Amino acid sequence: MIQKMAGNGWKWLPIIYASVLLAMGIVFLIFTKNKKIEAAPKTINQVFTPLKSIRVWRFGLYYFLVFGSFVTFSQWLLPNFLNVYHTTLVMGGIFAAIFSLPSGVIRAYGGFLSDRFGARKVMYWVLSSSVVLSFLLMFPKMDITTSGSGITAAKAGTVTEVSNDKIVIGDKTYPIIQEDKNAAHSKFFPSKKSWQQVVVEQNQQVQKKDLLAEGITQIHFEANIWIYLVLVILIGSAWGIGSAAVYKHIPDYFPNEVGVVGGMVGLLGGLGGFVGPIIFGYLLSTTGFWTSSWMFILAVSLICLIWMHRVVVNLMKEKSPEFAKDMDRKH
């Protein structure tokens, strides 16, 4: 009986989770009070007027990246580790949890940083980090074989000797670089090896500049799992800080519409968590690369960073230099 319960223990998880939610709901009802609204009631059109501002949708795009990507990769990393690094289900789950936990907990620290340094400056750090880290993460494990440096005939003649290590044409000898099959690959950085393969035969007539041996270069990249995991944790932590920084903007710009604006920004972030796995799935089936998801993140991060920077530059052009000193606090 005990063994049967242990094997089906996962079924208790939603029950425990629902019980905790119910308990928190009861605590909330007992110990909280509704804030009294002193302003006059607004019509539906007035309530949703802030949604006409492009700024709301810009904040929503930020949140689509920092929160939506966090939710998406919380699901996406497990099959990623299973397929790319061939981890066990348990180990892959642990790695995914290692990504999720600090990314969620550090959000409170992101609020502290936004209060101290300004949400604008924090978002610069977050988006820049997202660009750099997603760029590093988008390189897949790979063994690429491509053309390298070959050998061409210095003058016309007849091939008199062909072996694995040389080609002789008349009085001219061309040494051939052999493949080193025992060459060690770097576990942390891309490594390459090059060799040459003979493409002519003995007694063959060749002209000047004819190809004698084709060059071959093989590039190997291990994409070390531990480096990958560290980079994933770093970018997840940056997103956690950014989630707080995005919401720090809202009361500064929409002090009387925090609810509707915050709700719309949160909706766009949640939408990112919903459509993210779908987008990643299409990218994977199209490209065949698991790291295509990081290419998408790089593109979105660049759009957010460039858009934010253009807004800042335009405002500094329009306003006085004294206004630029206040940029850390707003916009």
Side-chain angles (χ1 to χ4, degrees), residues 28-100:
F28 183 82
L29 289 174
I30 295 175
F31 294 101
T32 59
K33 295 181 181 180
N34 289 330
K35 180 180 179 180
K36 295 182 179 179
I37 302 176
E38 299 179 356
K42 297 181 179 180
T43 64
I44 294 296
N45 290 335
Q46 290 174 326
V47 169
F48 288 100
T49 296
L51 301 185
K52 297 179 181 179
S53 172
I54 190 66
R55 185 180 291 121
V56 174
W57 302 99
R58 180 161 56 86
F59 293 162
L61 180 61
Y62 297 164
Y63 207 60
F64 180 93
L65 171 66
V66 295
F67 179 75
S69 298
F70 163 71
V71 174
T72 299
F73 277 99
S74 296
Q75 310 168 55
W76 191 253
L77 281 177
L78 177 56
N80 189 348
F81 281 117
L82 293 176
N83 284 272
V84 177
Y85 294 101
H86 306 146
T87 64
T88 63
L89 181 62
V90 173
M91 186 60 68
I94 292 174
F95 287 162
I98 291 175
F99 161 79
S100 301

Side-chain angles (χ1 to χ4, degrees), residues 56 59-60 63-64 67-68 107 246-247 250 259-273:
V56 174
F59 293 162
Y63 207 60
F64 180 93
F67 179 75
R107 180 165 178 162
V246 171
Y247 268 87
I250 296 175
V260 64
V261 175
M264 180 55 66
V265 170
L267 172 64
L268 293 173
L271 183 64

